[in-house]
Amino acid sequence: MNIKLRKCENMKSYTKILEFNTKNKIEFIRITEMVEEAIKESKIKEGLVLVNPMHITAAVIVNDNESGLINDFKRVLEKLVPYNDKYEHNTYEDNAAAHIWRQLMSHQVVMAITNGKLHLGPWEQIFYAEFDGQRRKKVLIKIIGE
Ligand code: ZN
């Protein structure tokens, strides 16, 4: 095991908000490069990056960039929580399933920054998972470290 203890004397923070339009109601957008770009801009070499979907019907997940897997996620979510089923929330809106899917797929992620780079596992990619799209969306990137 490789353990290093470092004293933080020059703690910095950097905040960036990504904005984009989602074309489809349900969509997985790979945002790894956008997060890497924010880390580069922050000039933070050692720290953590939090990636938060600023919407209650979306999630940020880390997984493999493989289209079959993305389709599997959609199929399993639809099986567990059918999109067009009856929900109490849908008295006022039509997106109850999107809220529940977001809870099932996690909410936000925190990743490590080492030597100024996003410290991913060999197949890890960051996705913004949209479940009620076709409108303008925001993702918060918060970086802390030194
Ligand atoms: Zn709603």
Side-chain angles (χ1 to χ4, degrees), residues 19-84:
E19 283 189 62
F20 43 78
N21 282 311
T22 50
K23 278 175 261 159
N24 305 305
K25 197 96 174 154
I26 299 159
E27 196 171 336
F28 286 69
I29 302 166
R30 197 166 66 88
I31 58 169
T32 311
E33 278 87 1
M34 295 179 213
V35 176
E36 283 171 337
E37 184 68 27
I39 292 169
K40 211 169 152 188
E41 290 160 8
S42 77
K43 297 183 170 54
I44 287 170
K45 302 292 176 207
E46 295 291 320
L48 297 171
V49 54
L50 174 145
V51 190
N52 168 262
M54 302 177 79
H55 303 276
I56 49 179
T57 53
V60 170
I61 65 163
V62 174
N63 218 304
D64 195 0
N65 183 27
E66 198 274 305
S67 61
L69 182 66
I70 300 297
N71 289 333
D72 289 337
F73 283 144
K74 293 177 194 168
R75 188 176 49 80
V76 170
L77 287 168
E78 175 61 32
K79 198 172 173 182
L80 289 172
V81 183
Y83 211 89
N84 294 314

Side-chain angles (χ1 to χ4, degrees), residues 89 93 95 99:
H89 181 67
E93 289 185 281
N95 63 1
H99 287 280

